[in-house]
Amino acid sequence: MVGASNNAEQFDVCIIGAGAAGLMCAITAGRRGRSVLVVDHANKVGKKILMSGGGRCNFTNMYSAPENFLSANPHFCKSALSRYTPRDFIALVEQHEIPYHEKKLGQLFCDRSSKDIVRLLLAECEAAGVQVRTHSPVRIDQLGPPHHMTGPDGAIHCESLVIATGGYSIPRMGATGFGFDFARDLGLEIQPTRAALVPFVFEGRKLEQIRDLAGVSLDTYSEAGGAGFRENMLFTHQGLSGPAMLQTSSYWHPGEPVSIDLLPEIDLAEHLRELRRSRPKLSLKNALADLLPRRVAERWCELWLPDKPMAEVSDADIEQARQRLKPWRVWPAGTEGYRTAEVTIGGVDTGELSSRTMECRQQSGLFFIGEVVDVTGHLGGHNFQWAWASGHAAGEVI
């Protein structure tokens, strides 16, 4: 800690992190007439916004609700989410005449580019008189208020300090553990962090069994850690991905299985018994290929379900097919980790914060918002909605 500087820049609010949560917080505070500075060590703002949704930015979900979020305290997110809803952000998008569409399940994407959302946020910052500085790493020297920091251009003082630095996910975008490290240094409790919304990887024989299926996608109902999702699964050269696997990864822990129903809503045993009666000459492989991608049916027969005419398929064979497909139980070696994870699960324990304002209970004028907090959304726009809602909650009071 160092003392104050008489030549320090003075702001009502300083926000560290120019991502979705930080910029929304700045806009909300700036509209209230507060003097706001946003700083980020990266070379541009909103890097994760720009790469999200395949470059189209899944900016919210029309049906986002508390049940779409994971946290050690599942009730914490309710206050912020109820006060800034998907409809509120959609109204902002429409005000800026950004064309968008629903992909599925309430997931909203830009028609053109994620750049539209970044331009929206920067335009709103400019209108609210917010200063945004990139290439601006800061050191927090002393907590107040006023809080004292040092940036590339010298000392900065502010009454309210907001940590919106995100998590560890996608380090090539500039992600660091700044917010977590700072919270630990203050003695705040941190919920264990790990990569979430991330593909699974396999090793050895398990990988060899499925590697040749890379690129094949199919509808599944997948479960891990007591949560299940009806989504597509994608075979990859390293293991399994697609929305189903990304969703279940948030609930999975090393050493646990993932259960994947490859034929949801189909009574496979009854279906095969009926084919044995009605189409006795049909091969089991072709019977399965009518229900699954052919490459998957062929591989399953090579590995576990010897091909034969349906007339020769026994009840034991049918039971074996059911066990291998409904569900297929797999034990991943791990995940691809933070390198490709969309979010970091865990973070600053919500017990350390006010659910209404996001202010730290132990430190006046200090706020934590967005991904750095132990609130993690499902796939499909929910994490952006938490960024907008938590940023807005803090911005209303700082």
Side-chain angles (χ1 to χ4, degrees):
M1 303 292 186
V2 298
S5 167
N6 292 329
N7 298 318
E9 290 187 278
Q10 305 285 340
F11 293 91
D12 294 325
V13 179
C14 183
I15 300 168
I16 305 177
L23 293 175
M24 175 56 76
C25 183
I27 292 163
T28 307
R31 287 173 175 172
R32 295 174 48 242
R34 310 293 282 167
S35 61
V36 182
L37 171 67
V38 181
V39 294
D40 200 299
H41 71 284
N43 62 349
K44 63 174 67 173
V45 305
K47 280 192 166 185
K48 285 184 72 174
I49 299 174
L50 291 169
M51 59 81 64
S52 66
R56 295 287 182 89
C57 188
N58 181 191
F59 57 82
T60 193
N61 190 297
M62 292 191 297
Y63 310 121
S64 196
E67 53 266 29
N68 297 117
F69 295 85
L70 293 80
S71 174
N73 176 5
H75 301 291
F76 179 84
C77 65
K78 292 179 179 179
S79 176
L81 291 172
S82 69
R83 288 180 289 121
Y84 194 86
T85 68
R87 188 64 250 174
D88 291 318
F89 194 76
I90 293 168
L92 190 59
V93 169
E94 292 175 346
Q95 177 185 326
H96 284 257
E97 300 182 341
I98 296 173
Y100 66 92
H101 62 278
E102 179 186 1
K103 189 171 182 181
K104 67 173 185 176
L105 303 173
Q107 301 170 13
L108 300 185
F109 288 78
C110 297
D111 286 355
R112 295 185 300 233
S113 167
S114 302
K115 293 178 182 178
D116 284 343
I117 299 299
V118 174
R119 280 192 286 262
L120 176 158
L121 295 169
L122 290 177
E124 290 290 325
C125 280
E126 183 177 4
V130 173
Q131 291 190 43
V132 181
R133 298 176 187 171
T134 55
H135 298 284
S136 294
V138 295
R139 182 183 73 236
I140 301 171
D141 298 317
Q142 182 175 313
L143 292 177
H147 309 289
H148 301 163
M149 292 174 293
T150 302
D153 299 320
I156 303 167
H157 294 174
C158 60
E159 292 300 310
S160 296
L161 175 61
V162 183
I163 308 300
T165 49
Y168 296 116
S169 52
I170 317 184
R172 72 178 185 278
M173 294 283 118
T176 72
F178 179 95
F180 301 138
D181 294 340
F182 175 59
R184 287 191 187 95
D185 288 344
L186 290 180
L188 304 184
E189 185 172 349
I190 304 291
Q191 287 293 322
T193 55
R194 56 189 169 85
L197 298 182
V198 62
F200 290 111
V201 296
F202 292 76
E203 295 176 348
R205 184 176 63 87
K206 292 179 181 178
L207 179 58
E208 291 304 314
Q209 289 175 342
I210 63 172
R211 191 198 295 271
D212 292 346
L213 296 174
V216 175
S217 176
L218 68 161
D219 182 33
T220 69
Y221 180 80
S222 301
E223 294 183 330
F229 299 91
R230 177 71 180 270
E231 285 277 13
N232 279 7
M233 178 188 78
L234 174 69
F235 290 94
T236 73
H237 290 292
Q238 291 184 286
L240 298 173
S241 186
M245 297 300 99
L246 300 186
Q247 294 277 37
T248 54
S249 74
S250 295
Y251 294 84
W252 177 82
H253 294 274
E256 295 180 352
V258 178
S259 296
I260 306 167
D261 187 341
L262 298 175
L263 295 167
E265 299 183 4
I266 292 177
D267 186 333
L268 180 63
E270 179 57 34
H271 181 77
L272 293 179
R273 283 193 292 266
E274 173 57 30
L275 288 178
R276 186 170 58 185
R277 291 190 295 269
S278 61
R279 302 180 65 185
K281 294 182 180 181
L282 180 69
S283 70
L284 176 60
K285 179 172 67 178
N286 287 335
L288 294 176
D290 288 339
L291 303 173
L292 297 162
R294 176 163 289 276
R295 287 167 60 190
V296 174
E298 291 174 347
R299 179 53 52 88
W300 255 242
C301 286
E302 290 171 10
L303 293 171
W304 301 299
L305 308 172
D307 192 27
K308 61 182 75 173
M310 289 305 302
E312 299 176 18
V313 173
S314 66
D315 286 345
D317 293 330
I318 290 175
E319 177 60 18
Q320 172 75 349
R322 187 193 65 77
Q323 290 181 6
R324 290 293 184 179
L325 293 163
K326 294 182 65 67
W328 175 42
R329 285 169 64 83
V330 294
W331 278 261
T335 71
E336 292 186 6
Y338 292 118
R339 180 179 64 84
T340 60
E342 295 196 14
V343 292
T344 301
I345 207 166
V348 176
D349 190 278
T350 58
E352 304 283 7
L353 308 175
S354 162
S355 62
R356 187 181 69 83
T357 66
M358 312 302 293
E359 185 174 18
C360 180
R361 296 185 185 280
Q362 297 184 30
Q363 179 63 55
S364 176
L366 176 65
F367 301 75
F368 291 85
I369 60 174
E371 189 181 350
V372 74
V373 179
D374 176 37
V375 176
T376 305
H378 289 172
L379 190 71
H382 301 287
N383 284 294
F384 273 122
Q385 188 56 38
W386 171 245
W388 313 137
S390 61
H392 183 267
E396 285 190 309
V397 296
I398 54 180

